Amino acid sequence: MLNFIKGSIFSRNTGVKAQAAEAEKDVQVLAVWGSPSSGKTTVSVKLAKHLADKKRNVVLLLCDMTAPMLPCICPPSDLEWERSLGSILAATHVTDTLIKQNCITHKKISYLTLIGMLKGENVFTYPPYNAELATELLDHLRDIAPYVIIDCSSYIANDILSAVALMEADSVLRLVNCDLKSISYLSSQLPLLKDNKWDADKQYKVASNIKTNQASEHIEQVLGNVAFKIPHSDELENQALAGDLFRDLVFKDSRGFRKEIEKISKEVFGI
């Protein structure tokens, strides 16, 4: 099959459907994916912090190589050191030791480990990698962490790691904003996944960043059953603007967001 983008795991529709993957029974690896600016990173960070606060060891894998998210989620002074996801994907094979050597720990959150690209890096900073290496990374993460949350990028045709994560994760949160652009995004991207081995049954549909003037019920009619409705929070928006998403949400306007994160954690991980 011909790949329409070099290195992509997706290909043009040949009419041959890939065999559906067997669903895993328990959720250890969760991929958070959705339309651009739907809140994937903020939800990933808050879920990882929620698990860490419950004293569960969790790895947060930040896939985006177009806009590395490590510099956007916490001050550099909060991190023990700077190491890059790119060093893992540049190897011939991934091992537990290689992953541990390139993990980043947070000075204030003991149960949290981060993996991502560093400020200034991009997809050309390191040698190209393939889907097999991305799969190796996810397989070894299962060996070293009881919980793995993957912040996927929206551009799955270009981003091999995010695309593989959607295939290999035990469960997927699929976020969309309450706007037509998000609906258009899903209409464009979902066929890429359906032509491969993606198990659509493992996904939770999430209406994200719902503002008081938006008709979330209408979005639910378009999307079908929505498992979670995450409300907008001005406090969270300010944390994102400040690049400090691991801070606690304490204001009254964040109560709805906090409760929805707790609901997701309970439903997905049983925590």
Side-chain angles (χ1 to χ4, degrees), residues 33 174 176 181-191 223:
W33 170 66
R174 197 184 82 184
V176 294
K181 182 178 179 181
S182 291
I183 303 302
S184 178
Y185 170 83
L186 291 179
S187 299
S188 170
Q189 300 299 302
L190 283 176
L223 295 177

Side-chain angles (χ1 to χ4, degrees), residues 153-173:
S153 73
S154 295
Y155 305 103
I156 54 175
N158 306 72
D159 183 347
I160 295 173
L161 182 56
S162 291
V164 169
L166 290 176
M167 304 294 178
E168 300 296 332
D170 302 324
S171 191
V172 175
L173 289 184

Side-chain angles (χ1 to χ4, degrees), residues 4 7 9 22 102 104 123 125 128 131 141 195 216 223 226 229 245 258-259 264:
F4 57 86
I9 70 167
E22 184 178 352
N102 288 282
I104 301 172
V123 70
T125 306
L141 284 176
D195 289 342
S216 60
L223 295 177
V226 173
K229 298 178 181 178
L245 285 173
R258 293 197 304 268
K259 287 186 175 180
I264 294 172

Side-chain angles (χ1 to χ4, degrees), residues 105-149:
T105 51
H106 194 286
K107 292 179 181 177
K108 301 174 184 176
I109 307 175
S110 301
Y111 292 84
L112 174 68
T113 300
L114 303 165
I115 302 175
M117 300 287 281
L118 301 177
K119 182 180 180 180
E121 293 183 333
N122 57 54
V123 70
F124 297 112
T125 306
Y126 298 91
Y129 67 97
N130 56 31
E132 286 72 24
L133 202 69
T135 303
E136 280 188 19
L137 169 57
L138 300 185
D139 288 343
H140 282 278
L141 284 176
R142 289 181 185 274
D143 294 336
I144 66 175
Y147 300 99
V148 179
I149 295 176

Side-chain angles (χ1 to χ4, degrees), residues 54 56 66-67 74 78 112 134 148 152 182 207 230 233 241 258 268:
K54 298 289 184 182
R56 302 304 204 277
T66 302
C74 66
D78 284 354
L112 174 68
V148 179
C152 299
S182 291
I230 301 178
S233 160
L241 289 171
R258 293 197 304 268
V268 175

Side-chain angles (χ1 to χ4, degrees), residues 187-206:
S187 299
S188 170
Q189 300 299 302
L190 283 176
L192 297 177
L193 297 167
K194 290 176 179 175
D195 289 342
N196 285 270
K197 63 174 183 176
W198 195 48
D199 178 8
D201 292 335
K202 68 182 180 182
Q203 65 173 299
Y204 293 94
K205 298 176 184 177
V206 182

